[in-house]
């Protein structure tokens, strides 16, 4: 599977530019779409799931133009929107059954089996007869991914799936997604939580103000930040100054003051030890230092 | 296939949601409960409604009708809700990304909602069916359980769903969409319901859809078109909302189909609308064209039909007729060109006159014939008309105005029957002379009452051929040979009726008359019920016939009476120019299918009820006696002339009075109308005047029930009209038929009662019966009648008729000084009643005085006797009591003292002023005290006195509310909403309203009462009690200085009545409480808290006086004595401040102290 996005832009009525001239190729596997709130992730997602038309540019799915072949593309899609809380009066299994029927599972026996399998997979088997609207937030999200995955879609698009979940549910959800990568399918995970991507994605894109600012493997992003993440110990007085000058990403109080981690080009007069960056460091580095100083952009 | 699968999936899951919605569940529960109660109520074995039950299809009909009304609203909510839900629910996006077209989605949702409602329809029908099967009286019409949901529910649902989707898709706001949809529905229900033949009625709520076993709905084509319009419009809207759906489409094919469907179906619906409305408009246009043609040609001389021999062949929807007719010129001029009326659907193929082919011109229904040579007066011509074709119903009832035509015909407020006037179907035919199915000389109805079909008596003969299995029915003796039937009426008839159907006749010879009952197969619902009376039936029916003859004073002159069951749809209007509805034909009664629209025709339940009440009254009656009682009730309630079945009906617009006030199936026409005719070209309504007199058709009280309608009785209303214009002018005025009928009835009765008063009742009755008997089967000219009257009674009836018809003034009476004196005469105590009557007007007039003797309590209550009133089933010739009813002719400008010497002490007297300026026209005079004067010389008769011009006594200055010195001041505060909705608004067409204690008016409103003060008009004004900000003022100029006693005229009984007013008495004088009867009104009256507040302005200032009604007298009550210095404007103010509900202001007077 391949999704090729070419010069894609979306301008809303009133002139608000949601995405601007995006070019991107997404291949099988988990693809992370990272960016702060309002970066245009959801707009891009909604275009990809055929809920919205782009203003210009096109999306090719396995070479098929998305806008011209909605019918075919929709058969390949599974979608979990950012908000997935309000349901009509269906039981959990009924909702999955509804999705399975619409996904093309005709035979009742096959469908029932698939619904049961999905329920088990997402850990909702026990809650299958419960009204979907009465599930907890995490359960609803799991039901959401189950309905997105039912019917063996080739492209699954998941928008901000872990927002608002407690850590346990978040980890559970990430594991669920990780399992999916074993199949030959594209999973696009749109998130502003770096952890979601670092634990699951092999490639990713970074959106900022509607523009694609990074596209590559998470490691590539991390590599860029190498040498720009430092461990420092500062006194209380120095801490205020450091906060002013650098992007402090972690602070731990110590006997003499604070043990902190900063993302910076260098730490100047402050003694510091460079440390190995992770994706979160890299994201901060990229967003705060690279994007704010366009000359640093590769 | 995939599309169907997806639609089914979406529909299924939508259904799940709806079935689980509490809104829907509660609605379902409620509607099932309501319908359960209604079904049991309507179909109950004892208390059910036979009018509905009679036609088995009505059971599913009324169930679906009620469901349809409610489900339209619920469907509206649900349709809007699903679109809103789609917007709100996060799950919708998940569904929207699935591979399906918008077409699949919207149709899926539509079918989901539709299925849910179909299930509800099914449940409702199942419930109805179970009750239908359990309740024994009613058969089950299985097909009706199928076609009513199909023609009512489905198009309504499709339309309201589509319309809701469309409005919501366009507006995107549920609240606004709902307001628009509810507003639209409300507007249609209240205003547009019957416009353009129900075109706006998307729910089919008012559409008349009673289904006859004989002719189906009676307008299948239009019905399907009307329902089809909404079905297609709904589908178009649904397709349109597919295009408007906020989801990116994925199927070009489906989008294209949606476009085609949206535009194509909308176009089909629009064509349907134009066809439907266009036909209605064209029909109206065609009717006006025919009326205009009649107006233009009614002066074209017409011939009289002497004989008419009709040779009829019925085939499919047409007839072929060879009519051999002979005509005579009965005019005084010779005729060279004449005109006939023939139904415009019938094509006149050939006309021969005296054996030679003649040319003719045809214009709509008129056939203009130029005679080969002029036909001299008295000469005859033989004609043969060959024509064939269908029947154009539009020619019927050209005299019926739109508002009367629009009146609903049906067994209850909900169920409506399509009115049909002529039917020509392959299996059923019903043609009355009204549709001019054979040539009728002259024109049909025109725009005025004088233009109507000619009424002459002809010798008819007919032969009919129709298909096997059908039986023709016409007037006369019948002979059958194969498929051919010959009818030979023994007597000349005013017209002939052709009915063909699958009838099974059964005969009963009773009282010398052959009673022939013709009903269709399966409709004998009574034989099994009334199974014990067959041996006594001939005698019973014979006795009833004799009784009727005795009561009417007229003989039934035909050899037979055919009772023929006709389709439920057949309807006949009451007419202004003749007292007959087409339900009655010469020697025929056309009975509505299964007796559905007849009174007390549900024999099974009548029997059960009779048994029950007999048991309750501990009457020991045999089965046979009870069955005879049921039959007697049925016959007298339906066929005996007299009592009106005047109905007050409630519809969406509130109470309304049917304009058809006469009994629909009264046999009167078969005793008089079809046998006699009083002709007069000068006074075109004399015949109906005589009919009104003979049948005593009603002076019905209008309004009553405190519903803000007129406070005048029919006769009073007529008087109000007649004060504006002469009778002649009024007849050519475009006024509503109900009002005009009241005038005609009142005037009609007046004319002949006047003659009766001149001749004396004892002599007049035999005279008029003799006149009738000698002119059987022919028209008697008024000139001849008048000559007979003159020779017998030496009175010029023609001159009376002239004044009666042309005078533009009415007499008016002042009646007073009523006294009862005990006198001794021939050693016994007798009673002298004296009163003065004065007619200061320029017209002579007639009064009817009714005395009530003995008894207890006199004339209290709302019922008032008198020959003019309707005291139950009273008849002109038989119902009067010569001992208590007196007629009095009072010449113009004369006054008399009248004296009666009576054996019994009279308790009260009521005077019916008939046609006069007096209001009310029934005035009650209680006799509070009996005078005892020794040596009083009793007087019987009348003696002239000087003319009385006013009711006030010499030396009194009276200011009544009708006088110029009376005025009102201030206005009550009325909320804007009340003003806007015109609640309590004054009706400019109603000079006097009826008094109501419920929601009394917030402004001074004139009312009339016998118990009020007044010269010719006994009126007062009343309004809701208030804070005193609104008042009335009486002013007068007092010339002579001195002390004056000041009085006000009060009627405390009225306040007492008002407290318990709400229905009043029945019949007679009407529902107006008769406050003027203290003789019977004192005992047991409730206490009243009313206190009226007066301010009397006099030369020395002003004084406030409060009068408590509970201690006030009926009549003049003194307010005090005050000094007036001369040339003073005296003023008395009364405010609306009161502790009771209403305040009444009438008259005040100043009486100079001696």
């Amino acid at each position: 599977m391949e999704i090729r996005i070419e010069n894609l832009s979306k301008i809303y009525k009133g002139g608000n530019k949601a995405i601007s001239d995006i070019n991107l190729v997404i291949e099988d596997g988990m693809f992370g779409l990272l960016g702060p709130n309002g970066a245009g992730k959801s707009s891009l997602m909604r275009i990809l799931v055929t809920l919205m038309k782009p203003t210009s540019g096109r999306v090719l799915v396995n070479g098929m133009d998305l806008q011209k072949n909605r019918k075919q593309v929709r058969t390949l899609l599974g979608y979990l929107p950012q908000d997935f809380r309000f349901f009509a009066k269906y039981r959990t299994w009924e909702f999955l059954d509804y999705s399975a029927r619409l996904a093309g599972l005709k035979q009742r026996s096959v469908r029932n089996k698939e619904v049961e399998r999905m329920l088990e997979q997402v850990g909702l088997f026990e809650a299958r007869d419960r009204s979907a609207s009465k599930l907890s937030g995490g359960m609803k999200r799991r039901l959401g991914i189950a309905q997105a995955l039912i019917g063996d879609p080739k492209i699954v698009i998941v928008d901000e799936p872990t927002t608002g979940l407690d850590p346990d549910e978040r980890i559970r959800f990430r594991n669920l997604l990780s399992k999916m990568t074993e199949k030959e399918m594209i999973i696009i995970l749109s998130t502003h939580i770096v952890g979601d991507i670092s634990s699951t994605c092999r490639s990713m894109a970074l959106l900022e103000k509607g523009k694609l600012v990074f596209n590559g493997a998470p490691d590539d992003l991390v590599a860029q930040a190498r040498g720009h993440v430092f461990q420092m110990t500062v006194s209380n007085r120095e801490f205020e100054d450091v906060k002013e000058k650098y992007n402090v990403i972690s602070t731990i109080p110590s006997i003499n003051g604070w043990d902190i981690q900063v993302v910076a080009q260098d730490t100047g007069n402050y003694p510091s030890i460079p440390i190995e960056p992770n994706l979160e460091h890299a994201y901060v580095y990229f967003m705060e230092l690279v994007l704010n100083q366009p000359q640093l952009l590769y | 296939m995939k599309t169907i699968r997806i639609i089914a999936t979406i529909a299924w899951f939508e259904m799940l949601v709806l079935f689980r919605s509490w809104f829907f569940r509660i609605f379902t529960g409620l509607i099932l409960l309501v319908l359960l109660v209604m079904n049991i109520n309507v179909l109950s074995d004892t208390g059910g409604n036979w009018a509905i039950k009679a036609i088995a299809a009505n059971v599913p009909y009324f169930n679906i009708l009620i469901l349809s009304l409610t489900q339209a609203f619920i469907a509206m909510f649900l349709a809007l809700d699903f679109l809103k839900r789609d917007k709100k629910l996060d799950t919708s996006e998940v569904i929207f990304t699935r591979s399906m077209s918008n077409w699949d989605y919207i149709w899926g949702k539509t079918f989901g909602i539709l299925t849910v409602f179909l299930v509800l329809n099914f449940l409702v029908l199942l419930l109805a069916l179970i009750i239908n099967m359990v309740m024994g009286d009613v058969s089950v019409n299985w097909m009706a359980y199928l076609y009513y949901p199909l023609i009512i529910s489905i198009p309504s649902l499709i339309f309201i769903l589509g319309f809701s989707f469309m409005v919501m898709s366009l507006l995107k706001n549920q609240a606004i969409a709902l307001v628009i949809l509810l507003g639209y529905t409300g507007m249609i229900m209240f205003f547009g319901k019957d416009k353009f033949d129900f075109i706006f009625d998307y729910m089919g709520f008012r559409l008349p859809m009673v289904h006859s076993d004989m002719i189906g709905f009676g307008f299948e084509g239009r019905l399907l078109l009307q329902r089809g319009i909404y079905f297609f419009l709904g589908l178009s809207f649904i397709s349109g909302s597919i295009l408007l759906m906020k989801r990116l489409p994925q199927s070009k094919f489906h989008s294209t189909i949606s476009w085609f469907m949206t535009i194509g179906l909308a176009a089909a619906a629009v064509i349907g609308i134009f066809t439907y409305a266009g036909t209605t408009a064209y029909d109206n246009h065609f009717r006006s064209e025919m009326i205009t043609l009649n107006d233009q040609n009614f002066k074209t001389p017409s011939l009289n039909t002497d004989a008419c021999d009709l040779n009829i062949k019925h085939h499919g929807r047409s007839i072929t007729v060879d009519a051999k007719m002979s005509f005579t010129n009965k005019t005084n001029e010779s005729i060279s060109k004449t005109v006939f009326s023939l139904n415009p659907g019938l094509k006149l193929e050939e006309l021969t006159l005296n054996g030679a082919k003649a040319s003719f011109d045809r214009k709509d229904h008129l056939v203009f014939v130029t005679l080969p040579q002029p036909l001299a007066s008295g000469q005859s011509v033989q004609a043969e008309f060959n024509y064939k074709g269908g029947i154009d119903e539009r020619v019927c009832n050209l005299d019926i105005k739109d508002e009367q035509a629009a009146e609903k015909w049906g067994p209850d407020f909900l169920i409506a029957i399509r009115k049909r006037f002529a039917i020509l179907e392959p299996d059923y035919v019903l043609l009355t002379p009204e549709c001019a199915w054979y040539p009728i000389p002259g024109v049909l109805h025109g725009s005025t009452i004088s233009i109507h079909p000619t009424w002459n008596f002809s010798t008819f003969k007919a032969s009919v051929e129709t298909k096997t299995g059908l039986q023709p029915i016409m007037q006369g003796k019948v002979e059958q040979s194969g498929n051919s039937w010959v009818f030979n009426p023994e007597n000349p008839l005013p017209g002939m009726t052709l009915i063909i159907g699958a009838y099974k006749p059964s005969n009963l010879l009773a009282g010398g008359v052959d009673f022939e009952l013709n009903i269709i197969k399966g409709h004998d619902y009574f034989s099994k019920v009334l199974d014990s009376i067959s041996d006594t039936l001939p005698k019973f029916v014979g006795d009833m016939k004799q009784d009727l003859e005795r009561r009417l004073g007229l003989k039934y002159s035909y050899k037979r009476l055919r009772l023929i069951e006709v389709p439920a749809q057949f309807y006949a209007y009451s007419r202004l120019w003749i007292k007959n509805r087409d339900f009655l034909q010469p020697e025929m009664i056309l009975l509505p299918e299964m007796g559905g629209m007849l009174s007390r025709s549900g024999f099974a339940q009548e029997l059960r009820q009779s048994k029950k009440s007999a048991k309750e009254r501990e009457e020991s009656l045999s089965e046979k006696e009870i069955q005879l009682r049921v039959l007697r009730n049925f016959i007298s309630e339906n066929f005996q002339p007299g009592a009106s079945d005047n109905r007050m009906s409630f519809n969406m617009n509130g109470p309304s009075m049917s304009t058809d006030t006469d009994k629909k199936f009264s046999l009167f026409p078969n005793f008089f109308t079809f046998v006699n005719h009083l002709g007069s070209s000068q006074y075109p309504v004399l015949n109906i005047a005589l009919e009104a007199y003979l049948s005593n058709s009603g002076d019905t009280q209008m309004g009553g029930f405190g519903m803000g309608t007129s406070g005048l009785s029919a006769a009073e209303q007529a008087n109000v009209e007649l004060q504006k214009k002469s009778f002649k002018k009024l007849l050519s005025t475009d006024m509503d038929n109900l009002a005009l009928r009241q005038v005609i009835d009142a005037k009609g009765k007046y004319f002949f009662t006047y003659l009766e008063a001149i001749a004396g009742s004892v002599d007049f009755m035999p005279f008029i019966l003799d006149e009738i008997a000698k002119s059987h089967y022919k028209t008697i000219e008024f000139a001849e009648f008048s000559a007979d009257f003159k020779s017998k009674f030496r009175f010029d009836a023609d001159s009376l008729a002239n004044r009666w018809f042309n005078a533009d003034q009415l007499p008016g009476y002042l009646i007073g000084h009523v006294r009862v004196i005990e006198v001794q005469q021939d050693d016994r105590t007798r009673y002298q009643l004296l009163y003065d009557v004065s007619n200061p007007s320029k017209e002579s007039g007639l009064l009817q005085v009714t005395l009530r003797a003995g008894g207890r309590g006199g004339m209290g209550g709302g019922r008032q006797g008198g020959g003019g009133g309707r005291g139950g089933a009273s008849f002109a010739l038989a119902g009067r009591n010569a001992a208590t009813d007196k007629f009095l002719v009072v010449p113009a400008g004369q006054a008399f003292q009248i004296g009666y010497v009576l054996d019994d002490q009279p308790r009260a007297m009521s005077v019916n002023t008939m046609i006069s300026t007096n209001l009310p026209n029934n005035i009650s005079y209680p006799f509070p005290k009996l005078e005892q004067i020794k040596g009083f010389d009793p007087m019987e008769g009348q003696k002239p006195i000087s003319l009385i011009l006013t009711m006030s006594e010499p030396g009194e200055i009276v200011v009544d509310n009708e006088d110029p010195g009376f005025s009102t001041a201030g206005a009550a505060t009325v909320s804007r909403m009340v003003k806007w909705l015109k609640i309590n608004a004054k009706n400019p067409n109603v000079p006097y309203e009826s008094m109501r204690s419920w929601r009394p008016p917030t402004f001074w409103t004139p009312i009339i009462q016998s118990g009020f003060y007044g010269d010719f008009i006994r009126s007062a004004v009343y309004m809701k009690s208030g804070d005193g900000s609104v008042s009335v003022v009486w002013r007068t100029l007092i010339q002579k200085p001195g002390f004056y006693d000041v009085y006000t005229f009060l009627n405390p009984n009225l306040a007492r009545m008002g407290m318990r007013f709400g229905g009043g008495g029945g019949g007679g004088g009407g529902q107006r409480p008769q406050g003027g009867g203290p003789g019977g009104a004192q005992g047991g009256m409730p206490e009243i808290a009313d206190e009226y507040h007066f301010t009397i302005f006099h030369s020395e200032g002003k004084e406030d006086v409060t009068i408590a009604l509970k201690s006030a007298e009926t009549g003049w009550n003194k307010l005090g004595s005050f000094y007036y210095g001369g040339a003073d404007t005296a003023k008395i103010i009364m405010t609306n401040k009161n502790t009771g509900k209403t305040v009444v202001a009438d008259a005040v007077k100043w009486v100079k102290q001696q």
Side-chain angles (χ1 to χ4, degrees), chain A residues 15 54 73 125 129 198 224 237 257 289 295:
Chain A
V73 173
F125 191 76
D129 284 327
S198 61
Q224 284 193 40
R237 189 182 51 79
L289 297 181
Q295 70 277 11

Side-chain angles (χ1 to χ4, degrees), chain B residues 191 707-708 974-988 993 996 999 1001-1003:
Chain B
F191 303 110
M707 281 179 292
V974 179
S975 81
R976 240 177 232 186
M977 181 63 101
V978 166
K979 264 188 203 163
W980 187 67
L981 289 173
K982 294 190 174 167
I983 296 172
N984 265 346
K986 171 126 187 69
N987 181 351
E993 294 194 2
R996 52 180 201 258
R999 228 183 64 200
T1002 48
F1003 43 84

Side-chain angles (χ1 to χ4, degrees), chain B residues 139-438:
Chain B
S139 58
V140 176
N141 183 333
W142 295 95
M143 283 304 287
Y145 281 86
L146 189 67
Y147 54 67
Y148 278 117
L150 280 178
I151 56 168
I152 301 179
S153 275
I154 304 270
S156 317
L157 279 172
I158 293 275
F159 173 75
I160 200 64
L161 290 181
F163 191 44
S164 307
F165 290 171
M166 196 66 159
V167 173
M168 185 70 179
S169 303
L170 290 170
L171 296 176
K172 300 182 180 66
N173 181 313
Q174 194 189 17
I176 297 175
L178 192 62
V179 168
I180 288 180
L181 288 168
L182 288 177
Y184 169 76
T185 305
M187 211 168 71
I188 281 164
M189 281 180 68
F190 289 99
F191 303 110
K193 56 188 189 314
D194 51 5
K195 300 274 180 314
F196 284 98
D197 200 14
F198 308 97
I199 197 166
F200 299 111
D201 186 8
Y202 74 83
M203 286 183 283
F205 184 59
R206 308 302 300 178
L207 204 59
M209 281 185 281
V210 165
H211 188 274
S212 152
D213 290 347
M214 300 158 95
I215 59 158
F217 293 105
F219 71 130
E220 273 75 359
R222 281 182 79 73
L223 176 63
L224 288 178
L225 183 58
Q226 201 271 7
R227 301 318 288 149
I229 286 169
Y230 287 104
F231 184 69
F232 286 145
L233 215 48
L235 291 180
S236 164
F237 285 150
I238 294 170
S239 305
S241 53
I242 294 172
L243 298 169
L244 289 171
M245 190 181 167
K246 285 282 160 207
R247 175 181 180 256
L248 298 176
Q250 69 175 41
S251 165
K252 265 194 178 162
F253 175 65
H254 281 166
S255 299
T256 316
I257 296 185
S258 300
W259 272 112
F260 271 112
M261 278 183 70
T262 308
I263 296 168
L265 292 169
V270 169
I271 291 170
I273 291 168
F274 276 104
T275 311
Y276 193 92
T279 314
T280 313
Y282 178 69
D283 288 353
N284 291 339
H285 168 76
F286 187 57
R287 278 171 60 84
S288 341
E289 189 177 285
M290 285 190 280
I291 293 170
T292 311
L293 266 178
N294 289 344
D295 282 354
Q296 287 164 350
N297 294 289
F298 90 104
K299 283 192 174 157
T300 306
S302 67
L303 302 169
N304 253 53
T305 310
D306 299 323
C308 176
D309 183 355
L310 300 164
N311 192 326
I312 308 145
K313 287 189 179 70
H314 165 228
H315 33 84
R317 290 192 167 82
S318 69
I319 48 170
T320 305
V321 184
D322 171 25
K324 291 188 182 70
M325 305 176 81
S326 70
F327 302 101
T328 301
N329 175 6
K330 287 199 174 170
T331 67
N332 297 326
E333 311 287 324
S334 91
I335 296 176
S336 54
K337 192 180 174 188
T338 189
V339 66
F340 295 92
S341 295
L342 183 66
N343 191 287
L346 293 167
K347 187 168 181 259
L348 180 56
E349 294 185 322
E350 196 177 74
L351 169 67
T352 57
L353 291 173
N354 287 336
K357 210 167 161 185
S359 63
F360 58 87
D361 285 326
R362 188 88 198 259
K363 180 83 182 139
D364 296 343
H365 63 299
L366 293 185
V367 181
F368 297 95
V369 179
T370 309
L371 301 170
Q373 57 261 1
L375 196 66
S377 173
Q379 270 191 340
S380 298
V381 63
Q382 304 297 316
E384 187 170 346
F385 295 79
N386 287 298
Y387 56 92
K388 70 174 180 188
I391 287 291
D392 190 332
E393 219 171 338
R394 293 173 296 184
V395 81
C396 302
N397 307 310
L398 294 176
D399 54 333
I400 300 303
K401 295 198 175 147
D402 292 348
E403 67 269 24
Q404 198 182 350
E407 271 173 15
K408 187 179 153 289
W409 163 239
D412 72 344
F413 77 101
L414 208 57
I415 294 181
I417 307 174
R418 183 74 178 183
K419 290 177 191 165
R420 292 292 307 271
F421 314 103
I423 302 159
L424 179 48
E425 296 287 329
D427 293 315
Y428 193 81
V429 178
L430 170 48
L431 304 176
T432 65
E434 180 61 33
C435 70
W437 67 276
Y438 54 83

Side-chain angles (χ1 to χ4, degrees), chain B residues 34-178:
Chain B
V34 167
L35 284 173
L36 176 73
V37 174
M38 285 186 79
N39 275 302
I40 291 175
N41 194 28
V42 167
L43 302 179
S44 141
D45 284 356
T46 46
N49 183 350
W50 179 253
I52 297 177
K53 287 199 279 186
I55 292 179
N58 282 349
V59 181
Y61 178 28
F62 94 81
N63 276 280
I64 287 293
L65 211 52
I66 293 168
L67 173 65
S68 172
L69 175 69
T70 42
Q71 79 180 356
F73 288 99
I74 306 303
M76 213 181 278
F77 280 105
L78 294 182
L80 296 178
D81 188 54
F82 118 63
L83 292 174
K84 190 186 137 199
R85 229 186 314 133
D86 276 0
K87 228 169 130 185
K88 205 179 92 183
L89 291 180
D90 307 321
T91 44
S92 305
E93 290 203 333
V94 163
I95 305 296
F96 283 179
T97 55
R98 298 288 173 188
S99 182
M100 63 181 167
S101 64
N102 294 356
W103 160 285
D104 299 338
Y105 186 74
I106 294 287
W107 281 115
K109 289 279 181 179
T110 307
F111 284 123
I113 302 179
L114 213 54
T115 312
V116 167
F117 280 103
L118 289 183
V119 169
L120 179 60
N121 274 255
F122 176 78
L123 290 178
V124 163
L125 289 173
L126 186 68
L127 175 84
L129 182 64
I130 292 169
I131 301 170
N132 195 171
M133 289 168 88
V134 172
M135 302 287 187
D137 288 355
V138 199
S139 58
V140 176
N141 183 333
W142 295 95
M143 283 304 287
Y145 281 86
L146 189 67
Y147 54 67
Y148 278 117
L150 280 178
I151 56 168
I152 301 179
S153 275
I154 304 270
S156 317
L157 279 172
I158 293 275
F159 173 75
I160 200 64
L161 290 181
F163 191 44
S164 307
F165 290 171
M166 196 66 159
V167 173
M168 185 70 179
S169 303
L170 290 170
L171 296 176
K172 300 182 180 66
N173 181 313
Q174 194 189 17
I176 297 175
L178 192 62

Side-chain angles (χ1 to χ4, degrees), chain A residues 73-213:
Chain A
V73 173
R74 279 171 177 164
T75 56
L76 304 172
L77 284 176
Y79 175 52
L80 172 61
Q82 186 173 352
D83 289 313
F84 195 69
R85 286 169 297 168
F86 298 112
F87 289 81
K89 282 188 177 170
Y90 297 125
R91 294 199 177 101
T92 305
W93 75 267
E94 277 171 350
F95 189 72
L96 272 190
D97 187 47
Y98 190 11
S99 305
R101 284 201 203 189
L102 292 178
L105 295 177
K106 294 180 213 167
Q107 259 190 308
R108 182 188 284 263
S109 55
V110 175
R111 205 167 61 231
N112 286 350
K113 221 179 258 174
E114 182 65 6
V115 168
E116 268 182 34
R117 193 181 66 78
M118 284 312 303
L119 283 169
E120 272 174 5
Q121 197 174 336
V122 299
L124 287 175
F125 191 76
E126 298 300 317
R128 65 187 184 283
D129 284 327
R130 211 188 291 173
S131 172
S133 55
K134 289 186 180 149
L135 296 175
S136 70
M139 288 165 114
K140 278 181 181 168
R141 215 61 68 88
R142 277 186 270 145
L143 174 60
I145 196 67
Q147 65 78 30
L149 293 172
I150 207 157
D152 201 16
K154 297 297 171 220
I155 302 165
V156 174
I157 296 174
V158 190
D159 198 359
E160 304 277 6
T162 57
T163 312
L165 295 188
D166 61 40
D168 280 355
E169 276 287 0
R170 187 174 294 178
I171 290 161
R172 196 169 180 172
F173 199 85
R174 282 176 190 163
N175 291 340
L176 252 173
L177 288 178
S178 301
K179 269 189 200 166
M180 299 298 125
T181 53
E182 291 156 15
K183 291 184 176 177
E184 276 191 15
M185 65 197 298
I186 295 174
I187 299 177
I188 301 174
L189 173 65
S190 153
T191 184
H192 68 277
I193 297 164
V194 181
D196 290 347
I197 291 187
S198 61
S199 58
T200 51
C201 297
R202 275 187 298 183
S203 59
M204 62 171 288
L206 197 57
L207 284 185
E208 165 69 352
K209 291 179 184 161
K211 286 190 173 145
L212 179 71
V213 290

